[in-house]
Amino acid sequence: MIELRGVTKAFGTNAVLRGIDLRVDTHEVVALIGPSGSGKSTILKCINGLERVDGGQVVVDGIDLSQPGADLDRARRRVGIVFQSFNLFPHLCVLDNVTLAPRRVLGRGRAEAEKAASELLDRFGLSDKADDYPDRLSGGQQQRVAIVRALAMAPAVMLFDEVTSALDPELVGDVLEVIRELAVAGMTMLLATHEMGFAREIANRVCFLDGGLVVEEGPPEQMFTAPAQPRTQAFLQRVLAARRL
Amino acid sequence: MIAEVAVLALGLLVAVVRNLPGPALFPFRALATIYTDVFRGVPTLLLIFLFGFGIPALGLNRPWNKAIIWATVAIILNYGAYVAEVFRSGIRSVHPSQMAAARSLGLSQWQSFRFVIIPQAVRRVIPPLLNDFVALQKDTALVAAVGPIEALREAQTATAKHFNFTPYVVAAVLFLALTIPLARLTDWLTARQEAARQ
Ligand SMILES: Nc1ncnc2c1ncn2[C@@H]1O[C@H](COP(=O)(O)OP(=O)(O)OP(=O)(O)O)[C@@H](O)[C@H]1O
Ligand SMILES: [Mg+2]
């Protein structure tokens, strides 16, 4: 579904990605972990063409995004992304946030798009918020709307970029519950996360990223209990120590 | 009224053009920049005289030789440039993450402007726009003044038919020599501020 081969990317002199190889197969849930600044967000942005790569290949659902003439808009329709900061459209009510892309990009009629949106909002416990504007919602509700908005395009894969980092602790659970439900439904997902417990629970595979490379990857049990690489061990120890404080 | 609608449409168009990305569109951006610089830089009255008396003197057919028409055009172009700058600052005030969110849903560049960026920008610039329109109402009085002056000139000798562009053009160029560097400096300062904010 997603394949990165030897992807490199630099911002000026800052070489952020130095040859990333990464695969996400259909129905797979892959967690990206790694220290701040290791390039997790950058990888996700390269996968939906928000950032162009300098070298290597990014293939999404058969479309090679690294080709100069690649149809980025078509690829983006297949990939849903949810950001840490929600990024809902503040001038539109919840329902219009969700129906904008299906109507304008997929050419759905208003009635059809609103029916599909209502069903999705219902499924994630947001049906009573359809007419509210984003600033009336809690962070957790906003983030769930952002997930619904991405799902409304019926993407083949969902990318999540630390979607709970900006939330108050008591709101995190609701959002994780939504992702859990998507995993059960067989959605292909790639998530950058600091929530190690959640990564361990939900992911089929965990990739540890550091210094612009995938240092180690494997099933969650092995990654969290017996990582092979010293750098992975050090990182997990730091995370655990921070948790204890 | 018609002038106000024209001013809004023109201002929005120019502002959007100035915000389009990509090297392929550079000529359009440059054109839009030149337009705003020129028509903001020359005083309204001077533009009205240049257009109102200058263009009819080129020997156009009726009704296009009427001073009042060209004076109105002058004021539309003048205020269009002001309003374009107001819209442009409104567009810039919308956070880039909104564009990223729109594009990531599959909306094209143009659709993202149309449905996400511009509606938010317009809401933010309504107060300064109202301000500009108050000024526009006042300046339409200048257009009205063109009529009597034209009548006066026609009553004078035949030489009045030959409009002498030179003093007006020289004055306009002098004003531009002052205002264009100022406009560029403002852009540069804004860009620096934005870079520092990131
Ligand atoms: N648009 C940009 N311009 C310049 N540098 C950037 C840009 N985006 C990211 N970077 C740099 O790239 C590096 C990786 O950033 P990225 O956001 O991908 O890290 P991350 O792993 O997501 O970190 P975090 O866990 O803090 O979210 C950082 O050093 C960052 O400063
Ligand atoms: Mg990040």
Side-chain angles (χ1 to χ4, degrees):
Chain A
M1 178 57 61
I2 298 177
E3 183 152 17
L4 278 71
R5 283 188 222 109
V7 168
T8 57
K9 169 89 190 166
F11 293 105
T13 56
N14 181 8
V16 178
L17 308 181
R18 298 161 177 267
I20 297 284
D21 295 304
L22 182 71
R23 269 183 78 98
V24 183
D25 292 322
T26 307
H27 302 312
E28 210 182 7
V29 178
V30 174
L32 272 181
I33 61 171
S36 188
S38 55
K40 302 183 292 293
S41 304
T42 307
I43 289 182
L44 298 186
K45 283 183 190 154
C46 289
I47 292 172
N48 84 339
L50 283 177
E51 295 280 5
R52 300 305 298 253
V53 302
D54 297 336
Q57 274 186 309
V58 181
V59 183
V60 177
D61 203 18
I63 305 170
D64 185 350
L65 300 190
S66 33
Q67 294 294 323
D71 188 350
L72 290 182
D73 284 336
R74 209 185 111 218
R76 287 194 186 107
R77 269 173 251 156
R78 309 291 297 143
V79 179
I81 186 165
V82 182
F83 304 94
Q84 182 176 344
S85 52
F86 328 139
N87 300 350
L88 293 180
F89 305 132
H91 62 299
L92 298 177
C93 70
V94 165
L95 192 63
D96 291 342
N97 261 277
V98 178
T99 56
L100 178 66
R103 289 180 61 199
R104 303 300 170 184
V105 179
L106 304 178
R108 299 271 147 77
R110 175 188 279 275
E112 186 191 352
E114 288 188 349
K115 185 162 168 288
S118 303
E119 279 165 16
L120 275 174
L121 290 170
D122 213 20
R123 181 171 153 204
F124 295 109
L126 293 160
S127 42
D128 57 329
K129 304 292 178 205
D131 298 325
D132 284 351
Y133 282 83
D135 61 3
R136 299 273 312 276
L137 306 182
S138 75
Q141 289 165 340
Q142 288 191 49
Q143 193 57 296
R144 282 184 286 152
V145 171
I147 295 174
V148 166
R149 181 175 71 175
L151 288 173
M153 291 295 285
V157 50
M158 286 285 286
L159 312 177
F160 292 92
D161 192 0
E162 293 181 29
V163 289
T164 56
S165 300
L167 298 178
D168 293 334
E170 72 269 22
L171 300 176
V172 168
D174 285 348
V175 172
L176 294 187
E177 186 53 42
V178 168
I179 299 174
R180 207 171 276 135
E181 188 183 330
L182 289 175
V184 170
M187 176 61 84
T188 309
M189 297 191 278
L190 176 59
L191 31 116
T193 184
H194 285 306
E195 304 264 348
M196 296 304 155
F198 185 63
R200 184 169 178 172
E201 170 203 328
I202 200 172
N204 307 117
R205 196 149 47 84
V206 175
C207 294
F208 172 64
L209 208 69
D210 194 16
L213 290 168
V214 176
V215 173
E216 184 171 1
E217 63 177 300
E221 285 312 312
Q222 176 205 319
M223 287 292 283
F224 288 113
T225 55
Q229 299 290 329
R231 270 198 286 175
T232 319
Q233 293 163 1
F235 171 72
L236 289 172
Q237 251 155 32
R238 271 206 311 281
V239 172
L240 281 179
R243 175 86 48 81
R244 244 175 255 129
L245 287 178
Chain B
M1 264 314 289
I2 298 169
E4 283 182 7
V5 174
V7 162
L8 278 179
L10 181 66
L12 189 55
L13 177 76
V14 171
V16 170
V17 168
R18 281 193 77 170
N19 274 287
L20 291 176
L25 295 167
F26 176 76
F28 293 99
R29 275 200 304 274
L31 214 64
T33 309
I34 293 170
Y35 161 72
T36 40
D37 280 0
V38 168
F39 283 92
R40 266 190 330 158
V42 179
T44 312
L45 188 60
L46 194 54
L47 277 176
I48 288 177
F49 274 35
L50 255 176
F51 274 63
F53 300 134
I55 296 184
L58 297 176
L60 297 168
N61 292 329
R62 284 165 66 89
W64 295 110
N65 58 359
K66 272 254 164 288
I68 191 113
I69 290 178
W70 289 104
T72 308
V73 169
I75 207 160
I76 287 173
L77 289 173
N78 183 216
Y79 272 85
Y82 280 113
V83 168
E85 283 303 284
V86 174
F87 275 130
R88 190 163 75 109
S89 67
I91 289 172
R92 284 176 162 225
S93 76
V94 178
H95 198 269
S97 63
Q98 287 286 311
M99 183 53 110
R103 296 307 301 272
S104 69
L105 286 166
L107 272 76
S108 67
Q109 177 88 25
W110 166 244
Q111 288 175 320
S112 305
F113 266 118
R114 163 84 179 71
F115 298 112
V116 176
I117 308 297
I118 292 175
Q120 294 183 53
V122 167
R123 262 157 245 230
R124 286 181 204 190
V125 300
I126 285 174
L129 274 185
L130 287 179
N131 214 14
D132 274 356
F133 278 135
V134 171
L136 177 62
Q137 294 295 353
K138 275 189 319 190
D139 282 355
T140 37
L142 295 176
V143 175
V146 166
I149 297 178
E150 185 184 35
L152 218 91
R153 287 160 50 90
E154 273 172 4
Q156 285 173 353
T157 54
T159 51
K161 286 235 178 312
H162 303 284
F163 179 80
N164 187 358
F165 275 101
T166 322
Y168 292 99
V169 172
V170 168
V173 168
L174 283 178
F175 272 106
L176 287 178
L178 287 173
T179 52
I180 289 184
L182 205 62
R184 293 279 69 78
L185 178 69
T186 316
D187 281 354
W188 180 75
L189 284 174
T190 319
R192 219 177 55 155
Q193 237 173 22
E194 274 179 11
R197 220 175 27 180
Q198 285 184 353

